[in-house]
Amino acid sequence: MKRNSYMTVGLTVAVLITIGVASYFLFFKQDDLPVIQEPTPFTLTNALDGETYNSDNGKVKVITFFYTNCPDICPLTLRDFMKLEQELKADGLYGTDVELVAITVDPEVDTVPVLENYGTAFQAEPTGWKVLTGEKADIDRITRQLQFYYSKANSGLVTHATTMYIVDRQHDVRAVAQMATTGDQPVDIESIMEDVNVLVAEKE
């Protein structure tokens, strides 16, 4: 009898904990986007229009790194960026409140003309999609601040991390996401949109 009572109490506690955790994620977690990193703003060249791009512009951003000779992860990720662009347009956020930012980690190869053609291949609309290049030292500073690892071999192959960054209007990183990988691992567009909408709703 006593054993049954203990089991009942244990089950009750387990149920209450489960309900509590579920309630936390349902009511609080979606709005809980603490500051993860505080990178300084940067300026690079936007290959889609040839203009200088200043990241300190008061807009929410989804930032990814890539290089045009990438055989798998980068093109898969930018293909999913096309879908994200459509989601942002449908919500009226594209270019006005939110930008998609793709920064090359191979600026020696990825010149402005090369990147312009690459962006065109992914139908990147310049109003809200920025394809950026610049001096290697400037790009290295950005990757160091974001703790994004990459290394270029003599063969030209670049080994790189797969982290993407969701940045708020004050230029702070508030969430991260993963690039697409080979197989059935696309970018989690739904999760990114949830985070983006939280940050868009915040006052400047």
Side-chain angles (χ1 to χ4, degrees):
M1 187 74 174
K2 182 178 292 185
R3 181 181 178 185
N4 289 338
S5 297
Y6 288 149
M7 290 179 64
T8 300
V9 171
L11 287 172
T12 301
V13 170
V15 169
L16 289 174
I17 291 174
T18 301
I19 292 173
V21 171
S23 298
Y24 170 77
F25 277 95
L26 180 62
F27 294 107
F28 299 104
K29 190 61 177 177
Q30 289 184 353
D31 295 329
D32 183 19
L33 293 178
V35 173
I36 299 173
Q37 293 163 309
E38 300 178 82
T40 57
F42 57 83
T43 56
L44 293 172
T45 300
N46 180 13
L48 297 182
D49 60 14
E51 299 293 328
T52 298
Y53 173 80
N54 189 336
S55 67
D56 190 17
N57 60 9
K59 295 182 181 179
V60 174
K61 299 169 187 66
V62 181
I63 299 177
T64 192
F65 294 93
F66 78 104
Y67 70 109
T68 59
N69 286 330
C70 180
D72 41 40
I73 293 175
C74 302
L76 288 173
T77 298
L78 295 185
R79 184 187 64 187
D80 286 339
F81 258 42
M82 295 171 65
K83 300 174 184 177
L84 189 55
E85 175 183 326
Q86 295 306 313
E87 292 281 342
L88 292 169
K89 284 180 177 178
D91 289 352
L93 301 175
Y94 186 75
T96 55
D97 292 279
V98 183
E99 293 177 334
L100 303 177
V101 178
I103 305 173
T104 181
V105 289
D106 193 11
E108 298 91 346
V109 173
D110 294 342
T111 60
V112 168
V114 169
L115 290 178
E116 184 178 13
N117 290 333
Y118 197 73
T120 299
F122 287 97
Q123 302 174 14
E125 189 173 313
T127 56
W129 194 336
K130 315 302 175 182
V131 180
L132 306 181
T133 188
E135 296 294 329
K136 186 177 184 299
D138 294 330
I139 293 172
D140 285 347
R141 179 181 65 83
I142 298 167
T143 58
R144 281 196 303 270
Q145 289 191 355
L146 293 174
Q147 298 177 19
F148 181 89
Y149 167 82
Y150 82 94
S151 177
K152 184 176 180 179
N154 291 333
S155 65
L157 181 68
V158 178
T159 302
H160 60 83
T162 58
T163 308
M164 300 194 299
Y165 305 86
I166 303 171
V167 177
D168 65 17
R169 298 181 189 273
Q170 286 75 41
H171 209 271
D172 294 328
V173 177
R174 300 285 295 281
V176 294
Q178 291 299 307
M179 296 180 183
T181 56
T182 54
D184 299 323
Q185 296 287 339
V187 172
D188 190 347
I189 294 174
E190 181 179 353
S191 178
I192 290 176
M193 286 299 298
E194 288 177 359
D195 292 338
V196 162
N197 279 306
V198 169
L199 298 182
V200 166
E202 290 183 346
K203 294 182 179 179
E204 293 189 49

